[in-house]
Amino acid sequence: MAVAANLRLGFFLLVLPQLFSAGLAVEPLSVGLAIGIASALTGYLSHPRFYCSLMECCRQEEPLNVTALQLDLQNKLFGQHLVKEVILRAMTRFMSNQNPKKPLTLSLHGWSGTGKNFISKIISENIYKEGLNSKYVHLFVSTIHFQHDNQLSLYKDQLQAWIRGNVSACARSVFIFDEMDKLHPGLIDAIKPFLDYYEQVDGVSYRNAIFIFLSNAGGDLITQVALDFWKSGKKREDMQLKDLETILSVGVFNNKNSGLWHSSLIDKNLIDYFVPFLPLEYRHVKMCIAAELQARKYEADPEIIARIAEEMTYFPKAEKIYSDKGCKTVAAKLDLHIEL
């Protein structure tokens, strides 16, 4: 930042003698004033706060706006009381810690359409205003970036180099791994040294980075626990993390299609939180539809909301409690019901 500003001042001082040699009349007072202005401007432009208001900067030391995150979770995420609780607590504690012992590692599990990608977006936007488009937020999709099983060794080397390079540039880097259940078993273990309790690895500290894993694996286990709660007459909101976390971690560890099958990340307790996303009920689907309407600047018409919600498919077949696609097809359904 200071380098760019000093270059501007240097250019000004370089051009100034040429004005004299060209025979232009320049008052001494004007020259002094111009140099003074240029010096002041250099200092102003090089100030981090001003620079970062124009350009995106690494948020290595800036605190988290806890109120903003809390409002986003409350107003944008539906039917996931456990997720709200865990994410708020985890992010608040981690980003307020000036000397964390390890990177924050979150493993998000649940059926498609329950909000895993959405929560990654919320987390990213509460760290960097550009969100998922930030140069400090890095998204890996297994079916795009790690397609070929016969290139596993190459992928491991590339993944390590990519993480090392980006954390070297910005300690508060965010790495999101989507579709973990389609990832080659063992690939994710390549980043174990970066998630462990090391002060540095080859001269680089990874302790301020954030790693987020997204997977459909464990969705059936979560749904079964939720269904058992419903059958026993308990409220959904009475479900606690302890009712799911152990079942989920063991189930994912033993699931060959989880991306974390027999992973050392689980075996060495390097995943800080297993975050369960519950299946969404009819009332939550209606909330998703209303939010999508409002996002498109339409009135949240109860008739349209009910009509679209009824078109979604639910299970078990007799009770029709949970949406089998969550809110994933809400936007597509809405396109058929509103005039463009």
Short mmCIF file of all heavy atoms in Angstrom, two decimals, residues 12 41 58 66 70 91 97 101 109 113 152-153 167 182 186 191 200 226 261 282 292 313 329:
data_model
loop_
_atom_site.label_atom_id
_atom_site.label_comp_id
_atom_site.label_asym_id
_atom_site.label_seq_id
_atom_site.Cartn_x
_atom_site.Cartn_y
_atom_site.Cartn_z
N PHE A 12 5.73 12.50 -9.06
CA PHE A 12 5.50 13.94 -8.99
C PHE A 12 6.84 14.68 -8.88
O PHE A 12 7.10 15.66 -9.57
CB PHE A 12 4.62 14.27 -7.79
CG PHE A 12 4.41 15.75 -7.56
CD1 PHE A 12 3.48 16.44 -8.30
CD2 PHE A 12 5.17 16.41 -6.62
CE1 PHE A 12 3.32 17.80 -8.10
CE2 PHE A 12 5.00 17.76 -6.42
CZ PHE A 12 4.07 18.48 -7.15
N LEU A 41 -1.05 13.54 0.76
CA LEU A 41 -1.86 12.57 0.01
C LEU A 41 -1.24 11.19 0.07
O LEU A 41 -1.94 10.17 0.21
CB LEU A 41 -1.97 13.02 -1.45
CG LEU A 41 -2.91 12.20 -2.36
CD1 LEU A 41 -4.32 12.23 -1.81
CD2 LEU A 41 -2.86 12.71 -3.78
N CYS A 58 -6.92 -8.50 3.63
CA CYS A 58 -6.96 -9.68 4.48
C CYS A 58 -7.40 -9.27 5.88
O CYS A 58 -6.84 -8.34 6.46
CB CYS A 58 -5.58 -10.32 4.53
SG CYS A 58 -5.45 -11.70 5.69
N VAL A 66 -20.32 -9.76 15.65
CA VAL A 66 -21.15 -10.84 16.17
C VAL A 66 -22.63 -10.56 15.96
O VAL A 66 -23.41 -11.45 15.61
CB VAL A 66 -20.85 -11.08 17.67
CG1 VAL A 66 -21.76 -12.17 18.23
CG2 VAL A 66 -19.39 -11.46 17.87
N GLN A 70 -25.26 -12.89 13.94
CA GLN A 70 -26.44 -13.38 14.65
C GLN A 70 -27.72 -13.04 13.89
O GLN A 70 -28.63 -13.87 13.77
CB GLN A 70 -26.48 -12.78 16.05
CG GLN A 70 -27.47 -13.44 16.99
CD GLN A 70 -27.27 -12.99 18.43
OE1 GLN A 70 -26.65 -11.94 18.69
NE2 GLN A 70 -27.76 -13.77 19.37
N MET A 91 -17.70 -19.38 15.61
CA MET A 91 -17.12 -18.21 14.95
C MET A 91 -16.75 -17.12 15.96
O MET A 91 -15.69 -16.48 15.84
CB MET A 91 -18.10 -17.66 13.92
CG MET A 91 -18.31 -18.56 12.72
SD MET A 91 -16.81 -18.74 11.73
CE MET A 91 -16.59 -17.05 11.17
N ASN A 97 -10.23 -14.90 19.47
CA ASN A 97 -9.01 -15.46 20.05
C ASN A 97 -7.79 -14.95 19.28
O ASN A 97 -7.65 -15.23 18.09
CB ASN A 97 -9.07 -16.98 20.02
CG ASN A 97 -7.93 -17.64 20.78
OD1 ASN A 97 -6.96 -16.99 21.16
ND2 ASN A 97 -8.05 -18.94 21.00
N LYS A 101 -5.11 -22.16 18.95
CA LYS A 101 -4.16 -23.27 18.96
C LYS A 101 -4.14 -24.03 17.63
O LYS A 101 -3.18 -24.74 17.33
CB LYS A 101 -4.52 -24.25 20.09
CG LYS A 101 -4.47 -23.65 21.48
CD LYS A 101 -3.07 -23.14 21.82
CE LYS A 101 -3.02 -22.58 23.23
NZ LYS A 101 -1.70 -21.98 23.54
N HIS A 109 -23.03 -31.48 7.79
CA HIS A 109 -23.65 -32.69 7.27
C HIS A 109 -25.17 -32.58 7.22
O HIS A 109 -25.80 -31.99 8.11
CB HIS A 109 -23.26 -33.89 8.15
CG HIS A 109 -21.80 -34.18 8.16
ND1 HIS A 109 -21.20 -35.05 7.29
CD2 HIS A 109 -20.81 -33.67 8.94
CE1 HIS A 109 -19.89 -35.09 7.53
NE2 HIS A 109 -19.64 -34.26 8.52
N GLY A 113 -30.22 -29.39 0.18
CA GLY A 113 -31.30 -28.40 0.32
C GLY A 113 -31.58 -27.96 1.74
O GLY A 113 -32.52 -27.19 1.97
N LEU A 152 -4.69 -39.01 -7.80
CA LEU A 152 -4.77 -38.70 -6.37
C LEU A 152 -3.48 -38.06 -5.85
O LEU A 152 -3.51 -37.07 -5.11
CB LEU A 152 -5.08 -39.97 -5.58
CG LEU A 152 -5.25 -39.82 -4.07
CD1 LEU A 152 -6.38 -38.89 -3.74
CD2 LEU A 152 -5.47 -41.18 -3.41
N SER A 153 -2.34 -38.62 -6.25
CA SER A 153 -1.06 -38.09 -5.77
C SER A 153 -0.85 -36.65 -6.23
O SER A 153 -0.39 -35.80 -5.46
CB SER A 153 0.08 -38.97 -6.28
OG SER A 153 1.33 -38.48 -5.84
N VAL A 167 -2.45 -19.21 2.45
CA VAL A 167 -2.32 -18.84 3.86
C VAL A 167 -1.08 -17.98 4.06
O VAL A 167 -1.07 -17.08 4.92
CB VAL A 167 -2.28 -20.09 4.75
CG1 VAL A 167 -1.98 -19.71 6.21
CG2 VAL A 167 -3.60 -20.84 4.68
N LYS A 182 -18.39 -37.13 -2.35
CA LYS A 182 -17.94 -37.60 -3.67
C LYS A 182 -16.43 -37.50 -3.80
O LYS A 182 -15.88 -37.71 -4.89
CB LYS A 182 -18.63 -36.79 -4.77
CG LYS A 182 -20.15 -36.92 -4.77
CD LYS A 182 -20.79 -36.07 -5.86
CE LYS A 182 -22.31 -36.21 -5.87
NZ LYS A 182 -22.93 -35.68 -4.65
N GLY A 186 -9.39 -40.48 1.56
CA GLY A 186 -7.97 -40.27 1.87
C GLY A 186 -7.38 -38.99 1.33
O GLY A 186 -6.34 -38.53 1.82
N ILE A 191 -4.19 -32.62 3.94
CA ILE A 191 -4.09 -31.31 4.59
C ILE A 191 -4.05 -31.44 6.12
O ILE A 191 -4.12 -30.43 6.82
CB ILE A 191 -5.25 -30.38 4.18
CG1 ILE A 191 -6.59 -30.91 4.67
CG2 ILE A 191 -5.26 -30.19 2.67
CD1 ILE A 191 -7.74 -29.93 4.44
N GLN A 200 3.82 -23.72 13.51
CA GLN A 200 4.13 -23.45 12.10
C GLN A 200 4.41 -24.77 11.38
O GLN A 200 4.82 -25.75 12.00
CB GLN A 200 5.36 -22.55 11.97
CG GLN A 200 5.15 -21.13 12.45
CD GLN A 200 6.36 -20.25 12.17
OE1 GLN A 200 7.45 -20.74 11.86
NE2 GLN A 200 6.17 -18.95 12.27
N ALA A 226 -34.06 -37.31 13.97
CA ALA A 226 -35.14 -36.33 13.96
C ALA A 226 -36.51 -37.01 13.93
O ALA A 226 -37.45 -36.58 14.62
CB ALA A 226 -34.99 -35.40 12.75
N TRP A 261 -13.81 -41.07 5.33
CA TRP A 261 -13.77 -42.49 5.71
C TRP A 261 -12.40 -42.83 6.30
O TRP A 261 -11.36 -42.65 5.67
CB TRP A 261 -14.04 -43.35 4.48
CG TRP A 261 -13.99 -44.82 4.73
CD1 TRP A 261 -14.79 -45.55 5.56
CD2 TRP A 261 -13.08 -45.76 4.13
NE1 TRP A 261 -14.44 -46.88 5.51
CE2 TRP A 261 -13.39 -47.04 4.65
CE3 TRP A 261 -12.03 -45.64 3.21
CZ2 TRP A 261 -12.70 -48.18 4.27
CZ3 TRP A 261 -11.32 -46.78 2.85
CH2 TRP A 261 -11.66 -48.04 3.37
N TYR A 282 -42.59 -28.89 6.44
CA TYR A 282 -43.46 -28.09 5.56
C TYR A 282 -43.41 -26.61 5.93
O TYR A 282 -43.29 -25.74 5.06
CB TYR A 282 -44.89 -28.62 5.69
CG TYR A 282 -45.94 -27.85 4.93
CD1 TYR A 282 -46.13 -28.07 3.56
CD2 TYR A 282 -46.75 -26.92 5.57
CE1 TYR A 282 -47.11 -27.37 2.87
CE2 TYR A 282 -47.72 -26.21 4.88
CZ TYR A 282 -47.90 -26.44 3.53
OH TYR A 282 -48.86 -25.74 2.85
N GLU A 292 -37.59 -16.22 -0.71
CA GLU A 292 -37.24 -16.12 -2.13
C GLU A 292 -38.10 -15.08 -2.83
O GLU A 292 -37.61 -14.31 -3.68
CB GLU A 292 -37.40 -17.49 -2.79
CG GLU A 292 -37.02 -17.54 -4.26
CD GLU A 292 -35.54 -17.35 -4.51
OE1 GLU A 292 -34.74 -17.54 -3.58
OE2 GLU A 292 -35.18 -16.98 -5.65
N THR A 313 -42.31 -32.55 -2.52
CA THR A 313 -42.55 -33.93 -2.09
C THR A 313 -42.01 -34.13 -0.67
O THR A 313 -40.95 -33.61 -0.32
CB THR A 313 -41.87 -34.92 -3.05
OG1 THR A 313 -40.49 -34.57 -3.21
CG2 THR A 313 -42.55 -34.88 -4.41
N THR A 329 -35.33 -26.89 -4.51
CA THR A 329 -36.05 -26.64 -5.76
C THR A 329 -37.04 -25.48 -5.66
O THR A 329 -37.83 -25.26 -6.57
CB THR A 329 -36.82 -27.91 -6.20
OG1 THR A 329 -37.75 -28.28 -5.16
CG2 THR A 329 -35.86 -29.06 -6.44
#
